[in-house]
Amino acid sequence: MTTAAHTRTVKEQTFDVLRQYDLTTLFSNPGSTEVGFLADLPADISFVLGLHEGSVVGMASGSALATGRPALVLLHTTAGYGNAVSALATARANRAPLVVIVGQQDRRHLPHEPFLAGRLDGLAGEYPVWQHTPARPQDVPGAVARAWHEAQEGRGPAVVVVPMDDWFAEADDDVAQAAPRGPLAVRGGRTASDDALAALATLLTAADSPCLVAGAGNDTAAGWEALVTLAERLDCPVHQEPFGARAGFPQDHRLFAGHLPAVRPALREVLAPYDTVLTVGAAAFRQYTYAPGDFTEPGTRVAVITDDPEEAHRSPGELVLLAEPADTVRRLAPLVPAVPRSPAPHRPTAPQPPAPGEPLRAAHVLAALAERLDPNAVVVEETPSSRPDLHRLLPARAPLGFLSAAMGGLGFAMPAAIGVRNGAPDRPVVAVLGDGSSLYSVQALWSAAHYGIGVLFVVLANGRYAIMDRLSEREGSAAPAWPAFTELSVSTLAKGLGCPAERVEDHTALLSVLDKVLPTLADRREPLVLEVAVEADAHYSS
């Protein structure tokens, strides 16, 4: 008796590609157009459920940033893809490589635009680094392989749209060979020429009072080491770029001089003492509210090192090197003579603990965290009104020690913290959020609880959009147009999602919880939401 040979399907071949590229953790909120792909999911593919597509993409983004490798996302057709657009925009701005498979209706009746048929081209605008709908089912595995390379090279979401019937089509082995054959098949990198390095070294050598600006693009172990070496040879201050999504330099180093302002008059004032400014891993200079005038005082020379072409082309620098930051700075440092300048060290001061009966403020909470937090911890931030205090009091002391949403939109921190811990399980992770911010992705807490992701979520609860209140005041408004939401209880919501939670309202209780939780955070397998009642600060400085 003979048995007919098994005919391999596109679905089976795609799973082979996913294994080859180490895309074996799948972040998703599934819909009917994806059920065929998910039915009988192989045992070696881990499924991570998020209860909203924004949280799905946020968790995947955190994982990708923690590992440095693309993460896999599966989204439903129009509704799911549309819900995820803001998170995909944040992933692009944060340089998080994602392979995103988006479901589509059955290819055989798409011309009749059936129920759930998606008009998906352009739905996410220019935020995907690549989007493709394969011409035939047999092209799907190769498209997924290419998406990995596009995501890795473009450092953002690469999207493949797959009609639901494609998964069951007979595979074509010849077509699969057309794609790159593995993660190392495409190699490249931007290396600065010797002439370009010599020109930059000449500029720095001629400087009497240089400073360095560290950006998110320098947030690697090699990047930190190289920039420390250069800073110590120049013996000059190092600032962090305005609104940086990651730290590009150890912020507890004696040469760290704080975060640059995000408005031009204040930026000019901070940079005025320097005749030469070199920005590494960022554009020169990212700002927030508009103000007229140049970024620097006349006569200040500006140079930039970045591997991002868009950052390079929008930087008003005298010399811009489009090259990998860590390698460039490592090669640059020996070309610059060591010059002792002994700048004054930057020593932020922590606030005094509140007196008995005095309300807690965000600075009290952040100072308590700073005293107790492991230097290797990752702090994921989404607290707009308290961000200056966080930058001042809670320095990043290791690469990936600080992570925020580069796009500025809310809803990133909570799921991203889960993804970071998933991707780097040996590192303690703390998310610091405002109560208003937490609501944009509060459903992510279910995923943290269900999958045993031991993140500490510190929610600074002031019952209002404090940053918006302050901005309204700047515009001369006597009172904001929106109400406070003091009835909100994030700890109650967390418990309803199955996540352990506590609420504290005084300094003694705060310290008690932190002393109990933080020493266990590296090994913790249960999340905790710590809702801290704080009084909104009366001012905010960007």
Side-chain angles (χ1 to χ4, degrees):
M1 179 178 176
T2 59
T3 304
H6 171 68
T7 301
R8 303 195 76 230
T9 64
V10 165
K11 174 179 171 179
E12 290 171 314
Q13 196 175 68
T14 300
F15 280 123
D16 288 343
V17 169
L18 296 181
R19 295 182 184 102
Q20 184 180 11
Y21 284 84
D22 196 24
L23 294 170
T24 55
T25 298
L26 174 60
F27 297 90
S28 182
N29 181 273
S32 56
T33 51
E34 296 75 55
V35 168
F37 178 68
L38 295 172
D40 299 318
L41 194 69
D44 61 334
I45 304 294
S46 300
F47 185 97
V48 178
L49 175 64
L51 302 186
H52 183 275
E53 290 81 2
S55 291
V56 167
V57 173
M59 289 189 291
S61 297
S63 180
L65 293 170
T67 63
R69 302 188 306 272
L72 178 62
V73 176
L74 179 68
L75 299 175
H76 189 38
T77 184
T78 309
Y81 193 19
N83 281 345
V85 168
S86 177
L88 291 170
T90 296
R92 174 69 180 270
N94 274 90
R95 302 182 177 189
L98 303 177
V99 174
V100 183
I101 298 175
V102 178
Q104 173 64 293
Q105 248 287 9
D106 192 302
R107 189 186 290 267
R108 293 167 294 188
H109 67 161
L110 277 176
H112 304 288
E113 199 164 330
F115 182 67
L116 291 182
R119 299 183 181 183
L120 304 177
D121 289 345
L123 180 60
E126 298 181 5
Y127 292 117
V129 297
W130 183 71
Q131 177 164 329
H132 180 63
T133 302
R136 306 183 309 150
Q138 291 75 17
D139 299 331
V140 169
V144 172
R146 177 172 172 179
W148 189 97
H149 290 278
E150 295 281 359
Q152 183 79 342
E153 175 66 19
R155 291 172 300 180
V159 178
V160 181
V161 177
V162 183
M164 59 194 297
D165 58 312
D166 282 12
W167 301 119
F168 306 105
E170 182 176 345
D172 182 340
D173 287 332
D174 291 337
V175 174
Q177 310 306 317
R181 294 305 308 276
L184 299 179
V186 178
R187 306 188 189 198
R190 296 185 174 92
T191 302
S193 68
D194 291 341
D195 289 346
L197 280 174
L200 184 53
T202 298
L203 186 149
L204 289 173
T205 301
D208 292 322
S209 54
C211 83
L212 304 176
V213 177
N218 197 55
D219 186 23
T220 64
W224 279 37
E225 181 181 1
L227 199 57
V228 165
T229 300
L230 179 61
E232 290 178 350
R233 284 187 70 82
L234 294 171
D235 201 15
C236 72
V238 182
H239 293 272
Q240 176 70 29
E241 65 166 319
F243 278 96
R246 296 171 68 167
F249 187 83
Q251 295 175 353
D252 58 345
H253 192 281
R254 66 177 180 86
L255 293 174
F256 184 65
H259 290 68
L260 288 179
V263 62
R264 294 188 193 192
L267 179 67
R268 287 194 297 272
E269 181 179 351
V270 171
L271 295 180
Y274 313 121
D275 60 1
T276 303
V277 180
L278 171 61
T279 295
V280 179
F285 296 93
R286 194 179 193 199
Q287 297 283 273
Y288 180 27
T289 51
Y290 173 74
D294 293 333
F295 294 109
T296 61
E297 296 290 349
T300 300
R301 307 178 76 181
V302 176
V304 175
I305 301 171
T306 177
D307 60 355
D308 186 321
E310 293 184 359
E311 288 184 350
H313 293 305
R314 67 173 179 260
S315 294
E318 176 180 334
L319 178 61
V320 179
L321 274 63
L322 182 57
E324 201 279 320
D327 176 68
T328 305
V329 175
R330 178 187 59 79
R331 294 168 57 210
L332 172 66
L335 305 179
V336 177
V339 179
R341 293 185 172 89
S342 301
H346 175 72
R347 292 194 179 95
T349 57
Q352 291 296 314
E358 181 183 348
L360 277 171
R361 296 191 178 276
H364 297 134
V365 181
L366 297 167
L369 270 174
E371 290 174 3
R372 294 161 172 80
L373 200 56
D374 187 317
N376 195 44
V378 182
V379 175
V380 187
E381 177 271 331
E382 195 166 272
T383 174
S385 62
S386 305
R387 185 180 290 121
D389 282 334
L390 187 146
H391 285 329
R392 179 171 60 90
L393 298 169
L394 199 55
R397 293 174 285 175
L400 194 64
F402 172 79
L403 179 60
S404 184
M407 180 60 62
L410 301 178
F412 171 77
M414 193 168 275
I418 298 168
V420 168
R421 186 61 193 270
N422 182 77
D426 58 327
R427 296 190 66 172
V429 179
V430 177
V432 182
L433 310 93
D435 50 353
S437 300
S438 72
L439 296 182
Y440 285 77
S441 54
V442 69
Q443 71 282 340
L445 294 174
W446 178 88
S447 299
H450 182 80
Y451 294 104
I453 309 296
V455 174
L456 173 62
F457 301 93
V458 178
V459 178
L460 304 175
N462 55 34
R464 63 192 69 247
Y465 294 128
I467 180 62
M468 293 302 301
D469 293 352
R470 301 294 83 82
L471 292 174
S472 179
E473 291 168 3
R474 286 186 183 181
E475 297 297 321
S477 178
W482 44 89
F485 40 85
T486 52
E487 307 89 347
L488 175 67
S489 171
V490 176
S491 55
T492 300
L493 290 173
K495 292 174 184 176
L497 289 162
C499 182
E502 296 184 34
R503 179 179 169 90
V504 298
E505 299 183 354
D506 63 75
H507 198 246
T508 301
L510 170 69
L511 299 187
S512 175
V513 175
L514 293 181
D515 286 338
K516 177 180 65 177
V517 173
L518 290 180
T520 71
L521 201 54
D523 301 316
R524 191 178 179 89
R525 293 295 177 265
E526 182 181 65
L528 176 67
V529 171
L530 180 59
E531 182 182 26
V532 186
V534 296
E535 186 163 300
D537 290 325
H539 66 279
Y540 170 78
S541 173
S542 61

